[in-house]
Amino acid sequence: MFCFQLFSNFSVVLRYIYIGLAIFFFACSGEHSVDKRQNEVTWTNNIANIVFTNCTPCHRPNQAGPFNLLSYNDAVKKAKLIKFVTQTGYMPPWPADASYTHFVGERVLADSIKSMIKQWVEQGCKYGDSALKPEPPSFNNLSFYRQPDLVIKAQQPVTIKGNGTDAFYIVKFPYEIPHDTIVDFVEFVPHQRKLVHHVNGHLVSYDSKRKFNYQNGVGINLDVTKNLMSAYSEMHIPYTDGLQPKFPTLTPNTVYYLPGYLPPNYPDDVGGFPLKKHGLFLLNNIHYGPSSIDCVDSSYLNVFFRKTPIKRGVKETQLGTFGVSEIEPAFFIEPNKVKTFVTQTTLSQDISVLSVNPHMHLIGKSFWAFAFLGSDTIPLIRIKKWDFRWQYYYTFLHPLKIPKGYTIKVIGEFDNTAQNPNNPFHPPRLITNGNGVESMKTTEEMFQFIFTYMPYKTGDETISLNRP
């Protein structure tokens, strides 16, 4: 009887042990599956927002990206490439050193984001919850920004010869609007993105009380080395009434473009310029890099109006090539040499710097700009690895005060060796800043630091330049 009772109790205990073990293993299994689900990276929960925020603005129709990233299917097709370019830091493109200074629209992925992208690709690019269908933001196909208020096209496309040489043109973009207004900014939209090297353009404004004929005349001047006054007359830029002044008002540097460039988009109380109802934008220098085939370019201008009056006008200046300061030593880069150059200027007034634009060509290696007085230093921008294809106009988060007496110093390094894969010459040759317009050739060099600023006012440091 005792043995039977013992055996019976043992059976009960054993049964409870089995049940406990079953619950334990089930719980562990369930816990493991939960952990697995928690560690799973999916398109719907994780990746879509990353792609739509950091990639899609450029990877969509009519923008710089060579393919679209507007959907899950788009991303899956390029998954391995996305993994590679994000892990190496090649994409999204942001040459400026984010540990040195910060700017509006900074495109730098955190390590955790890079890790998440890598994990998503290696796990097989899982979609996730089928009930969720992430959609990309809505964009305007004409512009990187919003719907433009005015789109201006040249009177005819520019013909580019496939002769393998740089080409320079003067092109006018005439317009007529119902009444005078104020421009927020102008966006140059390149058609031949791989060929447009740079654009410098001005606004020409006509007094409605005088006589003019700017809609007629030559629309494209193929020879920018001739006398400019003669070229402007051929393009019917001057007034036709014989009165003085002969030429209409010119507002300089209203149109600008470099590879990767986007115009600064300041808040309503900063910048802007008047736009008369009669006028034209004169691209005084549109430069196309060498092409191996004949083609045409139909680039256009997007003009964005401002509803508020101009409060704080913006000025622009540049150091180095064509600028207010000399380059030291003399700007000659001998073959098989890595050379460093400096250019600097001392401020005669307090200023608030808004945006900065470093500029070099193919053999640029690094770029560094800062302001200093004695031992005090104000960081401006540092680019450790120069990339000719991405030359942003970097806008600070807030206007950066640089007091009177401080010196803005710029240091540029150039690599004219055979080890530089971007060197246009093999074997390397002597590279200089050329002669006049020649310095703008892709195969020549430039060393410029362009910046926009306002005379300083108390409280400028608190203005947010990150436009909503």
PDB file of all heavy atoms in Angstrom, residues 23 38 97 194 274 307 336 365 382 387 408 420 455:
ATOM      1  N   ILE A  23       5.364  23.802 -20.627  1.00  0.00           N
ATOM      2  CA  ILE A  23       5.086  25.236 -20.546  1.00  0.00           C
ATOM      3  C   ILE A  23       6.357  26.038 -20.733  1.00  0.00           C
ATOM      4  O   ILE A  23       6.395  27.043 -21.431  1.00  0.00           O
ATOM      5  CB  ILE A  23       4.419  25.566 -19.191  1.00  0.00           C
ATOM      6  CG1 ILE A  23       3.026  24.938 -19.121  1.00  0.00           C
ATOM      7  CG2 ILE A  23       4.345  27.066 -18.973  1.00  0.00           C
ATOM      8  CD1 ILE A  23       2.372  25.052 -17.758  1.00  0.00           C
ATOM      9  N   GLN A  38      10.707  41.057 -33.053  1.00  0.00           N
ATOM     10  CA  GLN A  38      11.144  42.380 -32.629  1.00  0.00           C
ATOM     11  C   GLN A  38      12.432  42.799 -33.327  1.00  0.00           C
ATOM     12  O   GLN A  38      12.647  43.974 -33.601  1.00  0.00           O
ATOM     13  CB  GLN A  38      11.327  42.417 -31.116  1.00  0.00           C
ATOM     14  CG  GLN A  38      10.010  42.371 -30.336  1.00  0.00           C
ATOM     15  CD  GLN A  38      10.239  42.301 -28.837  1.00  0.00           C
ATOM     16  OE1 GLN A  38      11.336  41.993 -28.391  1.00  0.00           O
ATOM     17  NE2 GLN A  38       9.190  42.574 -28.056  1.00  0.00           N
ATOM     18  N   ASP A  97      31.893  67.940 -43.310  1.00  0.00           N
ATOM     19  CA  ASP A  97      32.178  67.196 -42.086  1.00  0.00           C
ATOM     20  C   ASP A  97      31.149  67.594 -41.021  1.00  0.00           C
ATOM     21  O   ASP A  97      31.188  68.706 -40.485  1.00  0.00           O
ATOM     22  CB  ASP A  97      33.594  67.520 -41.624  1.00  0.00           C
ATOM     23  CG  ASP A  97      34.007  66.747 -40.380  1.00  0.00           C
ATOM     24  OD1 ASP A  97      33.158  66.023 -39.820  1.00  0.00           O
ATOM     25  OD2 ASP A  97      35.176  66.879 -39.971  1.00  0.00           O
ATOM     26  N   LYS A 194      24.420  65.817 -66.692  1.00  0.00           N
ATOM     27  CA  LYS A 194      25.796  65.331 -66.704  1.00  0.00           C
ATOM     28  C   LYS A 194      26.739  66.307 -67.388  1.00  0.00           C
ATOM     29  O   LYS A 194      27.960  66.171 -67.275  1.00  0.00           O
ATOM     30  CB  LYS A 194      25.866  63.969 -67.389  1.00  0.00           C
ATOM     31  CG  LYS A 194      25.164  62.857 -66.618  1.00  0.00           C
ATOM     32  CD  LYS A 194      25.339  61.510 -67.297  1.00  0.00           C
ATOM     33  CE  LYS A 194      24.668  60.406 -66.497  1.00  0.00           C
ATOM     34  NZ  LYS A 194      24.815  59.074 -67.149  1.00  0.00           N
ATOM     35  N   PRO A 274      13.505  92.441 -55.769  1.00  0.00           N
ATOM     36  CA  PRO A 274      12.384  92.906 -56.591  1.00  0.00           C
ATOM     37  C   PRO A 274      12.422  92.296 -57.996  1.00  0.00           C
ATOM     38  O   PRO A 274      13.496  92.078 -58.557  1.00  0.00           O
ATOM     39  CB  PRO A 274      12.576  94.425 -56.648  1.00  0.00           C
ATOM     40  CG  PRO A 274      13.545  94.753 -55.565  1.00  0.00           C
ATOM     41  CD  PRO A 274      14.403  93.543 -55.388  1.00  0.00           C
ATOM     42  N   LYS A 307       5.415  86.730 -50.768  1.00  0.00           N
ATOM     43  CA  LYS A 307       4.242  87.562 -50.490  1.00  0.00           C
ATOM     44  C   LYS A 307       4.533  88.697 -49.521  1.00  0.00           C
ATOM     45  O   LYS A 307       3.755  89.644 -49.419  1.00  0.00           O
ATOM     46  CB  LYS A 307       3.110  86.689 -49.952  1.00  0.00           C
ATOM     47  CG  LYS A 307       2.624  85.645 -50.951  1.00  0.00           C
ATOM     48  CD  LYS A 307       1.510  84.794 -50.370  1.00  0.00           C
ATOM     49  CE  LYS A 307       1.047  83.750 -51.381  1.00  0.00           C
ATOM     50  NZ  LYS A 307      -0.040  82.896 -50.822  1.00  0.00           N
ATOM     51  N   ASN A 336      52.313  65.762 -60.729  1.00  0.00           N
ATOM     52  CA  ASN A 336      52.810  64.845 -59.701  1.00  0.00           C
ATOM     53  C   ASN A 336      53.061  65.539 -58.363  1.00  0.00           C
ATOM     54  O   ASN A 336      53.922  65.128 -57.588  1.00  0.00           O
ATOM     55  CB  ASN A 336      54.093  64.140 -60.187  1.00  0.00           C
ATOM     56  CG  ASN A 336      53.862  63.376 -61.475  1.00  0.00           C
ATOM     57  OD1 ASN A 336      52.932  62.574 -61.567  1.00  0.00           O
ATOM     58  ND2 ASN A 336      54.688  63.648 -62.478  1.00  0.00           N
ATOM     59  N   LYS A 365      41.174  68.229 -53.367  1.00  0.00           N
ATOM     60  CA  LYS A 365      41.329  67.103 -52.435  1.00  0.00           C
ATOM     61  C   LYS A 365      40.636  67.375 -51.096  1.00  0.00           C
ATOM     62  O   LYS A 365      39.947  66.509 -50.555  1.00  0.00           O
ATOM     63  CB  LYS A 365      42.812  66.816 -52.201  1.00  0.00           C
ATOM     64  CG  LYS A 365      43.066  65.600 -51.330  1.00  0.00           C
ATOM     65  CD  LYS A 365      44.556  65.308 -51.178  1.00  0.00           C
ATOM     66  CE  LYS A 365      44.774  64.063 -50.326  1.00  0.00           C
ATOM     67  NZ  LYS A 365      46.225  63.789 -50.126  1.00  0.00           N
ATOM     68  N   ARG A 382      34.295  72.301 -43.238  1.00  0.00           N
ATOM     69  CA  ARG A 382      35.441  71.444 -43.538  1.00  0.00           C
ATOM     70  C   ARG A 382      34.949  70.285 -44.392  1.00  0.00           C
ATOM     71  O   ARG A 382      33.967  69.616 -44.060  1.00  0.00           O
ATOM     72  CB  ARG A 382      36.087  70.930 -42.253  1.00  0.00           C
ATOM     73  CG  ARG A 382      37.315  70.051 -42.499  1.00  0.00           C
ATOM     74  CD  ARG A 382      38.072  69.800 -41.207  1.00  0.00           C
ATOM     75  NE  ARG A 382      37.240  69.107 -40.231  1.00  0.00           N
ATOM     76  CZ  ARG A 382      37.547  68.985 -38.945  1.00  0.00           C
ATOM     77  NH1 ARG A 382      38.677  69.540 -38.475  1.00  0.00           N
ATOM     78  NH2 ARG A 382      36.759  68.340 -38.109  1.00  0.00           N
ATOM     79  N   ASP A 387      34.483  66.302 -53.461  1.00  0.00           N
ATOM     80  CA  ASP A 387      33.777  65.586 -54.522  1.00  0.00           C
ATOM     81  C   ASP A 387      33.171  66.620 -55.451  1.00  0.00           C
ATOM     82  O   ASP A 387      32.228  67.329 -55.097  1.00  0.00           O
ATOM     83  CB  ASP A 387      32.683  64.687 -53.929  1.00  0.00           C
ATOM     84  CG  ASP A 387      32.090  63.732 -54.961  1.00  0.00           C
ATOM     85  OD1 ASP A 387      32.149  64.050 -56.169  1.00  0.00           O
ATOM     86  OD2 ASP A 387      31.562  62.670 -54.572  1.00  0.00           O
ATOM     87  N   ILE A 408      38.639  85.725 -42.219  1.00  0.00           N
ATOM     88  CA  ILE A 408      38.135  84.473 -42.798  1.00  0.00           C
ATOM     89  C   ILE A 408      39.275  83.855 -43.594  1.00  0.00           C
ATOM     90  O   ILE A 408      39.813  84.474 -44.527  1.00  0.00           O
ATOM     91  CB  ILE A 408      36.908  84.718 -43.693  1.00  0.00           C
ATOM     92  CG1 ILE A 408      35.736  85.249 -42.863  1.00  0.00           C
ATOM     93  CG2 ILE A 408      36.504  83.426 -44.404  1.00  0.00           C
ATOM     94  CD1 ILE A 408      34.493  85.582 -43.678  1.00  0.00           C
ATOM     95  N   ASN A 420      45.397  60.226 -58.306  1.00  0.00           N
ATOM     96  CA  ASN A 420      44.076  60.844 -58.205  1.00  0.00           C
ATOM     97  C   ASN A 420      43.218  60.367 -59.375  1.00  0.00           C
ATOM     98  O   ASN A 420      43.449  60.750 -60.523  1.00  0.00           O
ATOM     99  CB  ASN A 420      44.204  62.369 -58.231  1.00  0.00           C
ATOM    100  CG  ASN A 420      42.862  63.067 -58.086  1.00  0.00           C
ATOM    101  OD1 ASN A 420      41.811  62.430 -58.007  1.00  0.00           O
ATOM    102  ND2 ASN A 420      42.898  64.385 -58.053  1.00  0.00           N
ATOM    103  N   PRO A 455      24.530  92.397 -42.865  1.00  0.00           N
ATOM    104  CA  PRO A 455      25.140  93.156 -41.766  1.00  0.00           C
ATOM    105  C   PRO A 455      24.504  92.699 -40.459  1.00  0.00           C
ATOM    106  O   PRO A 455      23.291  92.528 -40.361  1.00  0.00           O
ATOM    107  CB  PRO A 455      24.771  94.612 -42.093  1.00  0.00           C
ATOM    108  CG  PRO A 455      24.560  94.617 -43.581  1.00  0.00           C
ATOM    109  CD  PRO A 455      23.976  93.277 -43.905  1.00  0.00           C
TER     110      PRO A 455
END
